Amino acid sequence: MAAAAAGSACTAKDDRSGSEKAGRPTLAIDFDGPGRWRIRSWAWRENAWHPRIARATRTGAGIEVRGPINAADRAKIVARLGA
């Protein structure tokens, strides 16, 4: 695990993120019932990583994500859940 930026309690790093900020926490997609997931994404502001929580549901048109997430994570979420 990489050391986090000063002032951040987050230490897990998503090495696949391509982020230039050290210590980016891992994107989390948790099952929340049939066709539903809770997503924890992260945004860098005020010199620390802050969680962004959203919900995803499977619809007839695909995957719908509601709530704030890091824009860079949206494609990853749809790819993981749309398969």
Side-chain angles (χ1 to χ4, degrees):
M1 285 190 179
S8 174
C10 304
T11 58
K13 183 176 181 182
D14 182 355
D15 291 329
R16 298 167 294 156
S17 70
S19 174
E20 294 183 16
K21 310 287 191 291
R24 184 181 197 274
T26 303
L27 169 67
I29 301 173
D30 300 316
F31 181 73
D32 197 27
R36 297 186 329 247
W37 297 267
R38 179 181 181 269
I39 300 163
R40 186 177 60 243
S41 183
W42 299 89
W44 180 260
R45 67 178 189 278
E46 300 171 3
N47 292 323
W49 288 108
H50 296 272
R52 301 188 62 129
I53 307 299
R55 302 280 178 186
T57 54
R58 186 173 309 279
T59 67
I63 301 297
E64 179 182 329
V65 179
R66 289 183 313 269
I69 62 168
N70 186 316
D73 290 331
R74 184 170 294 276
K76 291 179 194 175
I77 292 164
V78 172
R80 286 187 195 175
L81 298 179

